[in-house]
Amino acid sequence: MKRGIIVNDRDREIFKFLFEHRVLSLDLIWNTFFPGTTRQNVGRRLLGLTKNGYIEKWYLNLEGKPYIVFSLRKKGFCEFVPNYRFNPSSMGSISDSPEHDLTLFKIRARLSKLRMIQNFYTENMLQYCSDLKMQPELGAFSELNSDAAMELNMKSRTYSVALEYEGSEKSQDRVKHKLLEYYLKSEVTAVFWVHKNDRVKRAIMTADDALGTRYETKMFYASLDSVMGHGEEVI
């Protein structure tokens, strides 16, 4: 008879983050959830969760480097949902850009250390948690497919800020359309663009300039290196 696995609270926390971020690498799970444990032991635990149908394991090659990554399966989703603080209607979408989603997890981990950030909502949370979509201050981020929404507390005031990560250049028409949508949503106080390099930043700023002076800017920029710390491994 096949032996099962007893799911613990740490496993459920991993399932939760897999729902919120769509995909996590072995090393991100190791560093985030298993401090002081060997990578081999972490891999063994994740293999057990994979064999028992809670998560799925797959392999990626990003910029010439191999990665082991994991995504959530329905069994894992059903395991954490009863105690989740929000009401997800489904597991959400599968990552169609793993490198982008893995980087966003690291950005969240870094930004969440800032005292001013009160809440952080990922795209999957905004799209698939019905109670979040119905909140007036968050519905706009869901409509705009923001990479994330953050609630910032500054000088006793709360601001709703979008987070967008751009790792590559997009067409000017596409970027202008995205910027215009943000300008037209008064619920969005500001947009924090994290860019992989200066070329990506210039493309966004050029699109912003092309919109003219009709709108007071609410676009703010930071390089990925400056957010993460120069030279730090992102994935």
Side-chain angles (χ1 to χ4, degrees):
M1 182 177 178
K2 185 178 177 181
R3 186 178 180 181
I5 189 171
I6 298 175
V7 174
N8 57 39
D9 288 341
R10 179 166 56 189
D11 298 330
R12 295 185 186 92
E13 191 72 5
I14 293 171
F15 301 158
K16 182 189 80 171
F17 273 85
L18 284 173
F19 162 71
E20 292 178 354
H21 287 274
R22 302 189 182 117
V23 62
L24 291 176
S25 68
L26 170 59
D27 287 334
L28 283 180
I29 294 173
W30 177 29
N31 293 327
T32 305
F33 302 102
F34 293 87
T37 306
T38 66
R39 191 175 189 271
Q40 183 179 18
N41 286 338
V42 176
R44 189 178 298 117
R45 181 64 183 179
L46 295 176
L47 179 60
L49 293 171
T50 301
K51 287 183 174 180
N52 282 271
Y54 292 97
I55 58 177
E56 185 171 351
K57 176 182 178 181
W58 35 301
Y59 299 89
L60 285 178
N61 191 295
L62 301 175
E63 298 183 351
K65 297 181 65 176
Y67 291 92
I68 299 172
V69 298
F70 297 88
S71 55
L72 189 63
R73 298 186 68 181
K74 186 175 181 179
K75 190 174 179 181
F77 175 77
C78 293
E79 183 67 39
F80 88 87
V81 161
N83 296 313
Y84 194 45
R85 59 180 177 143
F86 301 116
N87 183 31
S89 57
S90 73
M91 282 175 42
S93 61
I94 298 173
S95 177
D96 58 3
S97 182
E99 183 177 8
H100 179 269
D101 291 335
L102 291 167
T103 302
L104 277 168
F105 176 85
K106 291 287 287 186
I107 293 172
R108 174 187 183 178
R110 181 57 59 91
L111 294 181
S112 294
K113 295 178 180 178
L114 302 176
R115 290 184 180 180
M116 70 175 68
I117 296 182
Q118 302 299 301
N119 289 295
F120 191 105
Y121 307 101
T122 68
E123 184 177 6
N124 240 25
M125 296 167 71
L126 293 167
Q127 294 300 323
Y128 296 100
C129 293
S130 56
D131 45 343
L132 291 180
K133 293 179 72 171
M134 292 174 63
Q135 293 184 25
E137 65 274 19
L138 293 176
F141 298 94
S142 177
E143 290 179 32
L144 297 176
N145 295 303
S146 301
D147 281 340
M150 302 180 291
E151 292 178 345
L152 276 60
N153 188 284
M154 298 175 63
K155 297 181 179 179
S156 301
R157 291 186 62 186
T158 300
Y159 300 91
S160 298
V161 177
L163 171 67
E164 294 285 353
Y165 168 62
E166 286 295 347
S168 60
E169 281 187 77
K170 304 295 188 298
S171 72
Q172 281 292 291
D173 286 344
R174 180 176 172 182
V175 177
K176 279 192 287 187
H177 180 72
K178 185 77 170 182
L179 294 173
L180 183 59
E181 286 187 317
Y182 273 125
Y183 279 122
L184 294 175
K185 290 291 185 182
S186 60
E187 303 94 328
V188 180
T189 308
V191 185
F192 181 43
W193 292 87
V194 179
H195 51 87
K196 191 172 184 179
N197 54 52
D198 287 340
R199 189 171 61 186
V200 173
K201 177 185 177 181
R202 285 195 297 271
I204 301 170
M205 295 183 73
T206 298
D208 195 18
D209 291 341
L211 292 175
T213 58
R214 288 176 292 169
Y215 308 99
E216 182 179 352
T217 188
K218 52 182 173 182
M219 307 299 163
F220 299 87
Y221 306 92
S223 69
L224 182 60
D225 281 345
S226 68
V227 173
M228 300 308 307
H230 184 72
E232 180 173 332
E233 180 71 28
V234 174
I235 297 174

